[in-house]
Amino acid sequence: MRALTYHGAKDVRVENMPDPVLIEDDDIILRVTATAICGSDLHLFRGKMPGMESGDILGHEFMGIVEDTGSGVSAVKKGDRVVIPFVIACGHCFFCELTQFACCEATGPNPGAALNRKNISSPPALFGYSHLYGGVPGGQAEFVRVPKANVGPFAVPGSLSDEQVLFLSDILPTGYQAVLNGEVKQGSTVAIFGAGPVGLMAAACARMLGAEKIFMIDHHPYRLEFARTTYGVIPINFDEIDDPAESIVAQTAYRGVDVSIDAVGFEAKGSTTETVLATIKAEGGSGFVLRQCIAATRRGGIVSVPGVYAGWLHGFLFGDAFEKGLTFRMGQTHVHRLLPELLEHIENGDLQPEVIITHRMNLDDAARGYEIFNDKEEDCRKVVLVP
Ligand code: NAD
Ligand code: ZN
Ligand code: ZN
């Protein structure tokens, strides 16, 4: 089969790879019909995530048709059309029972750590996302093996196109979880840092839940302009306004917003010192957007962080957060929990996630797709690949 493989920073290639085979009884083999490149893939592409090996197949946003099933699979059958959550959850461990699927302790590189009385981190397995997350081959490929197939794959109605439902695999639930974590409701004021796909999905969901004022911060005018016309956000370009948080506070009666959403993560631009320190690995990343979120949020408000962080941060301003009485919520998305209700919202027209797509490419051109998305060429917002 053809698949997009990692060979080092800025070096991804579409190559011939062995077809995946069923390993466990509850595996399926999926024939991928659509897959997308995520901002999280860009952390890998730029060589910023540890645990990658040459030849790893990337991709965690994908959907397709069930091609083959293991003997223990009862939830789906050959020929079903399904969307796959990027998190691989077992469905019945301590955390899955709590519907905290992105904390599943049974699928990752250290399964059952707590049960075995081992005090080690036990993240879940994710598709195509380094050996820190299980080293599971991803879905930017013609075929992919999907473990835990009685829990993960969600059947989608034939009336909806691939593009309408593909983002249920990750960025739509991620944007939704970000606003739910922020307790966004009718009349809320919200600041969303990052006008990439996750920030845009958060804006769509915040609108759906009745947010009154949404500020959106980025420095790509074409992304901000799309968000303004599509979701009615108040755009703030941080290349033009030095301190977006200060501007937001001034526009919210000098209190700040109810909730700030960090849809950027550890590669945030804005602090040269942190960028340099992160490059020499003396710092885990940039805390610039986190500090902006703390500054932009009103007392007693919420900072919601879907953006990915790795390792430690020195410049976190915990004192300000304490003094303001802020609540922080963050983490990978509990996709399985949110997917069904989001599918309903797509079906009844509340959400049209596909409007953010700018690039539709053949899987064979995936390496070019990474470049375009990474370098923000051709006003790129989101790339969908078709094998
Ligand atoms: P993206 O790279 O396309 O978008 C990030 C945007 O942030 C860019 O437009 C960039 O210009 C902007 N940005 C950079 N520095 C900024 C700053 N200082 N202030 C404001 N904006 C700034 O990526 P994306 O697909 O939108 O993903 C965003 C983040 O969400 C990534 O960190 C990704 O890994 C993460 N993510 C998390 C989950 C999860 O489960 N929690 C799921 C998907 C993605
Ligand atoms: Zn993703
Ligand atoms: Zn589990």
Side-chain angles (χ1 to χ4, degrees):
M1 67 163 184
R2 307 287 285 159
L4 186 281
T5 53
Y6 176 88
H7 293 276
K10 304 267 175 86
D11 183 2
V12 293
R13 308 170 198 165
V14 176
E15 298 180 307
N16 288 323
M17 297 294 284
D19 284 350
V21 292
L22 297 168
I23 298 174
E24 305 289 339
D25 285 354
D26 58 350
D27 288 350
I28 61 169
I29 301 297
L30 189 80
R31 180 166 59 78
V32 178
T33 56
T35 173
I37 306 175
C38 180
S40 298
D41 292 325
L42 295 181
H43 304 311
L44 306 175
F45 180 68
R46 298 175 190 132
K48 302 288 178 181
M49 292 287 283
M52 292 299 295
E53 290 172 16
S54 192
D56 284 350
I57 301 175
L58 303 190
H60 59 269
E61 300 183 357
F62 58 91
M63 62 177 296
I65 309 284
V66 178
E67 184 80 8
D68 199 2
T69 59
S71 58
V73 176
S74 53
V76 292
K77 58 182 189 316
K78 194 173 174 205
D80 282 356
R81 180 166 169 260
V82 292
V83 171
I84 311 292
F86 77 94
V87 170
I88 302 171
C90 78
H92 50 74
C93 71
F94 174 86
F95 294 102
C96 287
E97 290 290 341
L98 292 171
T99 74
Q100 294 177 341
F101 297 99
C103 303
C104 176
E105 61 181 346
T107 60
N110 307 308
L115 294 174
N116 297 318
R117 296 172 182 268
K118 285 192 201 147
N119 184 21
I120 51 173
S121 168
S122 177
L126 308 178
F127 286 100
Y129 214 72
S130 90
H131 294 262
L132 294 183
Y133 290 100
V136 182
Q140 288 164 0
E142 284 181 288
F143 296 95
V144 56
R145 169 185 160 251
V146 177
K148 305 293 174 203
N150 289 320
V151 183
F154 282 80
V156 284
S159 54
L160 298 172
S161 68
D162 279 15
E163 290 189 357
Q164 284 176 288
V165 293
L166 174 61
F167 300 153
L168 287 168
S169 57
D170 178 354
I171 54 168
L172 181 56
T174 296
Y176 190 47
Q177 178 167 296
V179 301
L180 293 181
N181 276 345
E183 296 177 13
V184 172
K185 53 182 176 292
Q186 204 71 38
S188 293
T189 52
V190 185
I192 302 174
F193 290 82
V198 170
L200 294 174
M201 292 297 102
C205 293
R207 270 280 165 258
M208 181 176 78
L209 297 181
E212 185 192 308
K213 225 180 216 186
I214 306 174
F215 298 93
M216 185 162 254
I217 305 89
D218 205 301
H219 68 154
H220 294 291
Y222 76 91
R223 289 189 166 192
L224 288 171
E225 182 54 17
F226 174 82
R228 190 186 66 78
T229 52
T230 312
Y231 306 118
V233 307
I234 302 164
I236 300 181
N237 184 332
F238 68 81
D239 280 346
E240 290 162 8
I241 294 178
D242 254 6
D243 188 345
E246 191 180 78
S247 160
I248 290 165
V249 169
Q251 294 178 69
T252 48
Y254 287 92
R255 291 200 179 91
V257 287
D258 299 316
V259 48
S260 291
I261 295 174
D262 173 352
V264 183
F266 73 102
E267 292 194 78
K269 298 196 167 51
S271 164
T272 313
T273 315
E274 281 170 314
T275 307
V276 171
L277 289 175
T279 309
I280 60 166
K281 301 208 180 336
E283 180 64 276
S286 163
F288 187 81
V289 167
L290 273 182
R291 290 193 295 278
Q292 281 276 298
C293 286
I294 291 170
T297 308
R298 67 163 168 82
R299 288 176 179 281
I302 300 175
V303 176
S304 168
V305 187
V308 163
Y309 284 84
W312 66 92
L313 279 182
H314 291 98
F316 182 60
L317 276 185
F318 201 71
D320 281 20
F322 177 85
E323 195 262 341
K324 285 177 112 172
L326 300 180
T327 297
F328 285 80
R329 296 215 179 106
M330 63 197 80
Q332 304 281 5
T333 305
H334 306 303
V335 180
H336 302 63
R337 182 205 292 168
L338 303 171
L339 199 153
E341 60 185 284
L342 288 167
L343 180 58
E344 274 179 38
H345 284 303
I346 293 172
E347 281 188 287
N348 66 24
D350 295 338
L351 291 169
Q352 284 132 8
E354 73 280 7
V355 299
I356 71 163
I357 300 170
T358 48
H359 287 69
R360 297 161 176 89
M361 304 173 76
N362 192 284
L363 176 68
D364 281 329
D365 303 321
R368 176 73 188 126
Y370 270 79
E371 273 173 20
I372 294 173
F373 185 45
N374 184 60
D375 299 340
K376 275 75 183 175
E377 291 173 35
E378 301 171 10
D379 287 0
C380 183
R381 288 189 302 265
K382 188 75 179 173
V383 181
V384 172
L385 305 165
V386 177

XYZ file of all heavy atoms in Angstrom, residues 37-43 46 49 60-61 86-87 102 126 129 169-175 177 192-201 216-220 222-224 236 238 244 262-271 286 288-290 292 305-309 330-335 356 373-374 376 380-382, ligand 1:
652
model
N -4.411 16.367 7.400
C -3.186 16.717 8.122
C -3.588 17.653 9.249
O -4.321 18.626 9.042
C -2.161 17.412 7.196
C -1.889 16.552 5.947
C -0.862 17.670 7.959
C -0.973 17.218 4.919
N -3.112 17.342 10.462
C -3.484 18.097 11.658
C -2.326 19.004 12.080
O -1.161 18.707 11.787
C -3.808 17.112 12.779
S -4.288 17.878 14.339
N -2.649 20.078 12.813
C -1.609 20.907 13.403
C -0.694 20.078 14.304
O 0.496 20.379 14.447
N -1.234 19.021 14.901
C -0.406 18.129 15.726
C 0.621 17.405 14.866
O 1.733 17.134 15.319
C -1.279 17.099 16.450
O -2.177 17.737 17.325
N 0.254 17.074 13.627
C 1.221 16.444 12.723
C 2.386 17.394 12.431
O 3.503 16.953 12.146
C 0.551 16.064 11.390
C -0.461 14.940 11.544
O -0.230 14.047 12.380
O -1.482 14.959 10.825
N 2.104 18.696 12.490
C 3.175 19.662 12.207
C 4.244 19.645 13.307
O 5.420 19.864 13.024
C 2.602 21.077 12.044
C 1.679 21.271 10.841
C 1.191 22.718 10.764
C 2.356 20.869 9.539
N 3.839 19.357 14.560
C 4.861 19.214 15.616
C 5.816 18.072 15.246
O 7.028 18.174 15.436
C 4.229 18.916 16.978
C 3.212 19.916 17.448
N 3.439 21.271 17.442
C 1.968 19.760 17.964
C 2.367 21.899 17.936
N 1.467 21.001 18.251
N 8.003 19.043 12.121
C 9.110 19.960 12.441
C 10.148 19.293 13.338
O 11.109 19.941 13.768
C 8.559 21.201 13.150
C 7.590 22.007 12.299
C 6.996 23.144 13.148
N 5.896 23.801 12.491
C 4.711 24.058 13.076
N 4.490 23.686 14.323
N 3.763 24.669 12.415
N 8.689 16.576 18.356
C 8.188 15.583 19.310
C 9.176 14.426 19.386
O 9.591 13.896 18.350
C 6.821 15.045 18.871
C 5.694 16.048 18.923
S 5.143 16.433 20.600
C 4.174 14.997 20.975
N -3.655 10.765 11.977
C -4.616 10.336 13.011
C -6.013 10.885 12.754
O -6.894 10.729 13.571
C -4.105 10.739 14.399
C -3.891 12.216 14.539
N -2.687 12.822 14.270
C -4.737 13.209 14.885
C -2.809 14.129 14.466
N -4.046 14.387 14.828
N -6.198 11.572 11.625
C -7.546 12.026 11.268
C -7.920 11.273 9.992
O -7.413 11.602 8.913
C -7.550 13.535 11.005
C -7.110 14.347 12.216
C -7.172 15.865 11.986
O -7.504 16.303 10.871
O -6.880 16.595 12.933
N -9.050 9.678 16.949
C -7.581 9.585 16.946
C -7.030 8.919 18.209
O -5.930 8.392 18.214
C -6.934 10.962 16.740
C -6.927 11.869 17.957
C -5.835 11.914 18.806
C -8.001 12.693 18.232
C -5.805 12.765 19.922
C -7.990 13.540 19.342
C -6.894 13.573 20.188
N -7.824 8.940 19.273
C -7.445 8.273 20.523
C -7.891 6.814 20.439
O -9.013 6.540 20.044
C -8.162 8.941 21.723
C -7.977 8.127 22.995
C -7.691 10.367 21.906
N -9.514 9.745 26.608
C -8.143 10.150 26.275
C -7.183 9.874 27.429
O -5.996 10.187 27.342
C -8.101 11.625 25.897
N -2.241 6.599 20.495
C -2.837 7.465 19.469
C -2.360 6.945 18.121
O -1.248 6.429 18.007
C -2.363 8.916 19.632
C -2.497 9.577 21.003
C -1.932 11.003 20.952
C -3.956 9.607 21.453
N 1.300 8.718 16.094
C 1.780 9.849 16.885
C 2.920 9.480 17.820
O 2.854 9.723 19.025
C 0.624 10.533 17.641
C 0.868 12.018 17.726
C 0.739 12.814 16.587
C 1.308 12.612 18.885
C 1.026 14.162 16.618
C 1.599 13.964 18.937
C 1.452 14.732 17.798
O 1.742 16.068 17.819
N -13.089 12.964 13.662
C -11.996 12.136 14.160
C -11.120 12.895 15.159
O -10.451 12.286 15.977
C -11.130 11.647 12.990
O -10.650 12.770 12.254
N -11.105 14.224 15.077
C -10.198 14.975 15.954
C -10.600 16.433 16.144
O -11.113 16.819 17.191
C -8.761 14.888 15.401
C -7.760 15.680 16.221
O -8.159 16.395 17.148
O -6.547 15.590 15.937
N -10.382 17.270 15.127
C -10.413 18.718 15.394
C -11.782 19.250 15.801
O -11.857 20.204 16.579
C -9.858 19.551 14.211
C -10.571 19.212 12.915
C -8.352 19.376 14.109
C -10.285 20.196 11.785
N -12.871 18.636 15.321
C -14.185 19.133 15.740
C -14.438 18.819 17.220
O -14.740 19.730 18.005
C -15.296 18.609 14.829
C -16.701 19.105 15.188
C -16.779 20.629 15.230
C -17.748 18.545 14.233
N -14.304 17.547 17.652
C -14.419 17.302 19.092
C -13.397 18.090 19.911
O -13.692 18.496 21.041
C -14.180 15.797 19.245
C -14.210 15.210 17.888
C -14.172 16.305 16.874
N -12.222 18.331 19.360
C -11.203 19.083 20.109
C -11.641 20.532 20.328
O -11.535 21.075 21.428
C -9.845 19.011 19.383
O -9.420 17.649 19.379
C -8.790 19.866 20.067
N -12.166 21.166 19.283
C -12.685 22.527 19.438
C -13.875 22.548 20.387
O -14.031 23.464 21.204
N -14.592 20.303 22.834
C -14.147 20.058 24.215
C -13.536 21.336 24.805
O -13.721 21.636 25.975
C -13.130 18.912 24.268
C -12.592 18.650 25.670
C -11.841 17.331 25.780
O -12.412 16.262 25.608
N -10.548 17.398 26.067
N -9.972 33.313 21.671
C -9.365 32.102 21.116
C -8.024 32.472 20.500
O -7.960 33.249 19.538
C -10.283 31.448 20.056
C -11.646 31.103 20.664
C -9.616 30.188 19.489
C -12.668 30.592 19.651
N -6.951 31.931 21.068
C -5.602 32.154 20.525
C -5.321 31.054 19.518
O -5.404 29.876 19.843
C -4.566 32.151 21.650
C -4.684 33.361 22.547
C -5.627 33.399 23.567
C -3.883 34.472 22.336
C -5.752 34.522 24.373
C -4.001 35.604 23.143
C -4.943 35.628 24.157
N -4.997 31.468 18.271
C -4.738 30.508 17.201
C -5.944 30.385 16.292
O -7.015 29.979 16.729
N -5.773 30.781 15.033
C -6.863 30.688 14.044
C -6.602 29.539 13.082
O -6.968 29.586 11.915
C -7.004 32.009 13.290
N -5.930 28.496 13.573
C -5.768 27.277 12.798
C -7.047 26.459 12.874
O -8.055 26.910 13.424
N -7.029 25.264 12.334
C -8.233 24.412 12.323
C -8.857 24.223 13.707
O -10.088 24.282 13.831
C -7.706 23.085 11.769
C -6.551 23.484 10.894
C -5.912 24.659 11.565
N -8.046 24.035 14.750
C -8.620 23.820 16.086
C -9.280 25.100 16.591
O -10.400 25.084 17.108
C -7.539 23.309 17.068
C -8.048 23.320 18.504
C -7.101 21.902 16.677
N -8.606 26.240 16.428
C -9.205 27.514 16.828
C -10.500 27.780 16.068
O -11.489 28.251 16.647
N -10.512 27.443 14.787
C -11.720 27.678 13.981
C -12.872 26.783 14.444
O -14.020 27.225 14.528
C -11.431 27.441 12.492
C -10.441 28.431 11.853
C -10.111 28.016 10.421
C -10.986 29.867 11.872
N -12.566 25.515 14.752
C -13.619 24.618 15.259
C -14.135 25.110 16.612
O -15.328 25.030 16.909
C -13.092 23.180 15.380
C -12.774 22.483 14.064
S -14.198 22.248 12.967
C -13.924 23.571 11.794
N -10.345 36.611 18.326
C -9.463 35.573 17.799
C -8.116 36.183 17.457
O -8.040 37.221 16.803
C -10.091 34.909 16.579
C -9.247 33.750 16.076
S -10.189 32.660 15.004
C -10.449 31.270 16.082
N -7.074 35.521 17.935
C -5.720 36.082 17.842
C -4.845 35.185 16.982
O -4.789 33.967 17.190
C -5.083 36.211 19.255
C -5.989 37.030 20.173
C -3.692 36.865 19.174
C -7.026 36.236 20.935
N -4.196 35.772 15.999
C -3.260 35.053 15.127
C -2.459 36.116 14.400
O -2.641 37.317 14.674
C -4.017 34.145 14.140
C -3.159 32.961 13.651
O -2.086 33.217 13.059
O -3.549 31.803 13.847
N -1.562 35.718 13.507
C -0.881 36.746 12.712
C -0.973 36.456 11.213
O -0.267 37.079 10.424
C 0.575 36.948 13.177
C 1.469 35.784 12.901
N 2.826 35.906 12.734
C 1.191 34.468 12.754
C 3.345 34.709 12.517
N 2.387 33.833 12.517
N -1.829 35.483 10.862
C -2.073 35.251 9.438
C -3.383 35.940 9.056
O -4.457 35.444 9.412
C -2.140 33.758 9.129
C -0.825 33.071 9.339
N 0.259 33.304 8.523
C -0.413 32.198 10.288
C 1.288 32.588 8.953
N 0.908 31.914 10.024
N -5.125 36.059 6.445
C -6.144 35.293 5.717
C -6.920 34.367 6.641
O -8.126 34.137 6.459
C -5.510 34.491 4.559
C -4.746 33.246 4.967
C -5.385 32.006 5.029
C -3.392 33.288 5.285
C -4.704 30.848 5.394
C -2.697 32.146 5.648
C -3.357 30.922 5.706
O -2.687 29.787 6.069
N -6.284 33.848 7.700
C -6.989 32.986 8.657
C -7.944 33.825 9.514
O -9.078 33.427 9.783
C -5.992 32.236 9.542
C -5.235 31.165 8.772
C -4.399 30.255 9.661
N -3.978 29.084 8.891
C -3.427 27.989 9.401
N -3.228 27.902 10.687
N -3.099 26.975 8.625
N -7.465 35.000 9.949
C -8.301 35.879 10.770
C -9.511 36.365 9.977
O -10.625 36.430 10.497
C -7.477 37.076 11.261
C -6.429 36.750 12.335
C -5.529 37.949 12.579
C -7.101 36.299 13.636
N -7.643 39.839 16.039
C -6.504 40.602 16.568
C -5.231 40.001 15.987
O -4.951 38.819 16.193
C -6.454 40.567 18.103
C -7.740 41.171 18.698
C -5.208 41.301 18.620
C -7.771 41.200 20.214
N -1.417 39.692 16.039
C -0.363 39.976 17.028
C 0.913 40.528 16.399
O 1.832 40.917 17.120
C -0.097 38.781 17.957
C 0.518 37.558 17.331
C 1.886 37.477 17.109
C -0.271 36.472 16.982
C 2.451 36.334 16.557
C 0.283 35.325 16.428
C 1.648 35.261 16.209
N -1.933 41.438 22.645
C -3.362 41.179 22.390
C -4.177 41.117 23.675
O -5.309 41.620 23.721
C -3.356 39.827 21.679
C -2.017 39.743 21.023
C -1.078 40.448 21.965
N -6.439 28.346 24.465
C -5.109 28.275 23.844
C -5.136 27.179 22.784
O -4.941 26.002 23.094
C -4.055 27.989 24.921
C -2.661 27.728 24.336
O -2.528 27.624 23.103
O -1.709 27.626 25.136
N -5.394 27.590 21.538
C -5.412 26.640 20.416
C -4.118 26.777 19.613
O -4.123 26.733 18.384
C -6.640 26.878 19.537
N -3.021 27.002 20.329
C -1.711 27.145 19.682
C -0.755 26.061 20.196
O -0.244 25.253 19.434
C -1.097 28.534 19.939
C 0.236 28.674 19.196
C -2.054 29.644 19.511
N -0.508 26.090 21.518
C 0.378 25.079 22.101
C 1.820 25.525 22.207
O 2.138 26.714 22.104
N 2.705 24.554 22.394
C 4.074 24.825 22.833
C 4.965 25.456 21.767
O 6.071 25.876 22.071
C 4.728 23.557 23.389
C 5.116 22.533 22.342
C 6.434 22.401 21.933
C 4.172 21.710 21.781
C 6.807 21.459 20.982
C 4.526 20.757 20.826
C 5.842 20.643 20.416
N 4.490 25.509 20.514
C 5.294 26.168 19.488
C 4.816 27.595 19.210
O 5.065 28.137 18.131
C 5.295 25.333 18.207
C 6.030 24.009 18.348
C 6.309 23.356 17.009
O 7.260 23.794 16.335
O 5.560 22.431 16.636
N 4.140 28.199 20.185
C 3.625 29.561 20.022
C 4.748 30.531 19.673
O 5.848 30.447 20.220
C 2.939 29.999 21.309
N 4.427 31.435 18.763
C 5.379 32.491 18.438
C 5.211 33.633 19.426
O 4.161 33.799 20.016
C 5.103 32.998 17.017
C 5.296 31.923 15.979
C 5.399 32.481 14.581
C 5.901 31.425 13.609
N 5.148 30.146 13.685
N 6.258 34.437 19.613
C 6.104 35.630 20.438
C 7.234 35.845 21.424
O 7.468 36.955 21.854
N 7.938 34.797 21.799
C 9.053 34.980 22.730
C 10.310 34.378 22.131
O 10.464 33.163 22.069
C 8.745 34.311 24.070
O 9.941 34.176 24.805
N 7.244 27.236 24.262
C 6.929 28.633 24.518
C 5.690 28.737 25.403
O 4.666 28.124 25.128
C 6.675 29.343 23.184
O 6.001 30.560 23.409
N 4.249 31.593 25.789
C 3.736 32.918 25.416
C 2.206 32.974 25.430
O 1.605 33.870 26.013
C 4.280 33.306 24.034
C 3.950 34.711 23.645
C 4.705 35.766 24.132
C 2.867 34.985 22.818
C 4.389 37.081 23.789
C 2.547 36.295 22.477
C 3.304 37.341 22.963
N 1.590 32.010 24.771
C 0.123 32.056 24.680
C -0.519 31.761 26.038
O -1.538 32.372 26.390
C -0.394 31.120 23.566
C -1.900 30.914 23.678
C -0.059 31.713 22.192
N 0.080 30.874 26.810
C -0.470 30.614 28.152
C -0.462 31.888 28.990
O -1.430 32.196 29.686
C 0.354 29.541 28.861
C -0.045 28.098 28.591
C 0.843 27.172 29.410
C -1.515 27.853 28.921
N -0.527 34.912 27.808
C -1.552 35.784 27.220
C -2.947 35.378 27.718
O -3.776 36.220 28.006
C -1.491 35.680 25.690
C -0.364 36.501 25.090
C -0.775 37.950 24.904
O -1.701 38.249 24.163
N -0.107 38.851 25.590
N -7.147 24.698 27.444
C -5.953 24.477 26.624
C -6.049 23.200 25.780
O -5.671 22.119 26.244
C -4.672 24.408 27.508
C -3.414 24.359 26.627
C -4.605 25.583 28.474
N -6.542 23.319 24.541
C -6.458 22.175 23.624
C -5.092 22.096 22.938
O -4.690 21.025 22.482
C -7.562 22.449 22.599
C -7.681 23.945 22.578
C -7.357 24.416 23.979
N -4.372 23.213 22.855
C -3.047 23.226 22.228
C -2.118 22.273 22.975
O -2.200 22.155 24.192
N -1.246 21.618 22.231
C -0.393 20.577 22.824
C 0.832 21.177 23.520
O 1.472 22.080 22.983
C 0.050 19.572 21.728
C 1.246 18.737 22.179
C -1.109 18.656 21.354
N 1.139 20.685 24.701
C 2.372 21.031 25.429
C 3.156 19.765 25.712
O 2.579 18.689 25.884
C 2.052 21.780 26.730
C 1.677 23.208 26.422
C 0.375 23.531 26.063
C 2.645 24.203 26.395
C 0.041 24.828 25.690
C 2.322 25.497 26.030
C 1.018 25.810 25.681
O 0.703 27.080 25.308
N -7.467 21.156 30.369
C -6.588 20.879 29.225
C -6.577 19.398 28.885
O -7.202 18.592 29.581
C -5.167 21.336 29.553
C -4.552 20.589 30.708
S -3.112 21.419 31.402
C -3.877 22.660 32.430
N -5.860 19.072 27.848
C -5.578 17.662 27.568
C -6.036 17.211 26.198
O -6.631 17.974 25.431
N -5.722 15.965 25.907
C -6.176 15.352 24.661
C -7.693 15.205 24.731
O -8.282 15.191 25.814
C -5.547 13.964 24.475
C -4.029 13.938 24.509
C -3.390 14.375 23.211
O -4.068 14.793 22.276
N -2.079 14.299 23.143
N -8.288 15.049 23.579
C -9.750 15.080 23.490
C -10.382 13.711 23.746
O -9.924 12.702 23.213
C -10.152 15.569 22.098
O -9.519 16.821 21.891
C -11.658 15.730 21.989
N -11.457 13.722 24.532
C -12.227 12.496 24.775
C -13.186 12.280 23.590
O -14.416 12.412 23.721
C -12.977 12.616 26.105
C -12.086 12.970 27.257
N -10.989 12.199 27.613
C -12.079 14.032 28.100
C -10.367 12.763 28.648
N -10.999 13.879 28.950
N -12.593 11.985 22.442
C -13.337 11.968 21.175
C -14.582 11.091 21.259
O -15.673 11.503 20.834
C -12.434 11.468 20.021
C -13.203 11.454 18.705
C -11.186 12.324 19.901
N -13.859 24.789 6.353
C -12.472 25.260 6.549
C -11.489 24.646 5.552
O -10.351 25.090 5.430
C -11.961 25.035 7.995
C -11.718 23.546 8.272
C -12.920 25.624 9.025
C -10.835 23.317 9.508
N 0.790 23.333 4.280
C 0.099 23.577 5.552
C 1.072 24.187 6.568
O 0.754 25.146 7.277
C -0.487 22.254 6.057
C -1.331 22.363 7.306
C -2.291 23.365 7.470
C -1.197 21.429 8.333
C -3.077 23.442 8.625
C -1.975 21.495 9.489
C -2.908 22.501 9.632
N 2.297 23.647 6.601
C 3.289 24.140 7.563
C 3.700 25.577 7.257
O 3.816 26.404 8.165
C 4.523 23.236 7.543
C 5.548 23.650 8.583
O 5.262 23.654 9.777
N 6.734 24.029 8.128
N 2.038 27.773 5.553
C 0.873 28.644 5.315
C 0.912 29.210 3.894
O 0.638 30.392 3.659
C 0.815 29.778 6.338
C 0.131 29.411 7.651
C 0.968 28.550 8.521
C 0.279 28.129 9.795
N 1.116 27.170 10.566
N -3.488 28.387 3.068
C -3.927 27.056 3.504
C -4.527 27.080 4.911
O -3.944 27.607 5.846
C -2.735 26.097 3.479
S -3.196 24.426 3.914
N -5.707 26.483 5.020
C -6.306 26.285 6.349
C -6.321 24.818 6.734
O -6.048 24.457 7.868
C -7.755 26.817 6.371
C -7.897 28.314 6.340
C -9.342 28.721 6.582
N -10.244 28.148 5.606
C -10.656 28.763 4.504
N -10.272 29.996 4.246
N -11.471 28.151 3.663
N -6.659 23.944 5.772
C -6.765 22.521 6.112
C -6.604 21.698 4.842
O -7.222 22.006 3.813
C -8.134 22.250 6.744
C -8.303 20.854 7.320
C -7.567 20.649 8.631
C -7.789 19.236 9.186
N -6.946 18.981 10.383
P -2.071 25.179 13.254
O -0.606 25.052 13.419
O -2.652 25.167 11.897
O -2.602 26.503 13.967
C -1.943 27.161 14.995
C -2.140 28.649 14.783
O -1.599 29.346 15.918
C -1.422 29.189 13.538
O -2.347 29.837 12.685
C -0.391 30.152 14.146
O -0.149 31.290 13.317
C -1.051 30.548 15.451
N -0.143 31.117 16.444
C 1.199 30.900 16.623
N 1.652 31.639 17.632
C 0.597 32.355 18.106
C 0.444 33.327 19.135
N 1.480 33.710 19.887
N -0.794 33.862 19.341
C -1.845 33.481 18.587
N -1.761 32.571 17.587
C -0.539 32.017 17.356
O -2.651 23.973 14.167
P -4.126 23.444 14.584
O -4.453 22.257 13.752
O -5.115 24.537 14.659
O -3.765 22.915 16.045
C -3.570 23.825 17.112
C -3.018 23.136 18.344
O -3.978 22.161 18.832
C -1.741 22.337 18.102
O -0.878 22.459 19.221
C -2.218 20.907 18.001
O -1.211 19.976 18.331
C -3.307 20.931 19.042
N -4.288 19.820 18.989
C -4.659 19.267 20.171
C -5.597 18.262 20.199
C -6.041 17.695 21.516
O -6.537 16.568 21.585
N -5.930 18.441 22.608
C -6.171 17.804 19.011
C -5.789 18.421 17.807
C -4.854 19.430 17.809
